Amino acid sequence: MLPGRHWLDAAPPTVATVVLTTPGREAIMYLVSVRLLVSNFDGCFRFYRDVMRFQPEWGEEGSTYASFRTTPGATLSLFRRDLMADAVGTAGLPPMTECQDRAALIFLVTDLEAEVKELRSRGIQFLSDPRDFPDWTIRAAYLRDPDGNLIELYRPLEESQWTRRVAEETEKYRKQYDTSA
């Protein structure tokens, strides 16, 4: 999402839609789920159900797959990493290597400080206190789920808090991509 365009600006979309056009053919692709491939399935299930307070739609502790309601039309799902490795033929590769994060789950919250306080009361340790990122147009805090996946909780900053550079770039891209709507 471009800086300055946040889900708080309007009602959340029901599904992210991409229209793919190739010569003689048009197709529509919908982003409907993000699936985390986890080794600690039960710990992650409890984390997303009990700590993040997402409503399960499918699965339970002790199973191999679960999905949770997050926003209208989209889900966050969990699947055992070893089973996906079997399915795609990578079971013989090392399951984990130490590296920098390769992905993050990003959640918009209406009251960042209150959410951080609530999660801390549930025993969650944050990587840092909430802080402003004026170049990103957000105030954010970071934590990890039991499998080590990086999670960002954020709220938008007021435009007056943005850096001049990002304000200028946002205006440029709004014009270039006609994102004023």
Side-chain angles (χ1 to χ4, degrees), residues 3-138:
R5 300 287 295 165
H6 300 283
W7 283 28
L8 289 179
D9 293 342
T14 55
V15 175
T17 305
V18 177
V19 177
L20 307 170
T21 307
T22 56
R25 181 176 168 272
E26 184 176 290
I28 297 177
M29 181 183 302
Y30 301 98
L31 175 62
V32 296
S33 183
V34 171
R35 180 179 302 152
L36 297 178
L37 306 176
V38 299
S39 57
N40 183 355
F41 182 89
D42 288 349
C44 287
F45 183 90
R46 287 187 302 271
F47 176 83
Y48 288 103
R49 181 194 63 199
D50 302 337
V51 177
M52 297 299 285
R53 301 175 308 275
F54 292 149
Q55 177 66 40
E57 290 184 321
W58 180 270
E60 60 190 7
E61 287 184 60
S63 59
T64 59
Y65 175 85
S67 64
F68 299 86
R69 261 183 241 127
T70 55
T71 58
T75 61
L76 171 68
S77 61
L78 306 174
F79 190 58
R80 275 194 18 214
R81 181 180 292 140
D82 61 321
L83 297 176
M84 182 59 78
D86 286 341
V88 298
T90 60
L93 298 176
M96 300 276 280
T97 58
E98 196 169 319
C99 65
Q100 293 181 351
D101 295 293
R102 298 181 68 160
L105 296 174
I106 312 300
F107 295 102
L108 172 66
V109 296
T110 55
D111 187 337
L112 179 62
E113 279 65 28
E115 191 63 30
V116 168
K117 183 178 179 181
E118 171 66 24
L119 292 174
R120 281 187 171 143
S121 77
R122 295 169 180 263
I124 297 303
Q125 293 184 355
F126 281 79
L127 303 177
S128 66
D129 288 328
R131 68 178 242 213
D132 291 350
F133 293 91
D135 262 342
W136 302 352
T137 75
I138 64 172

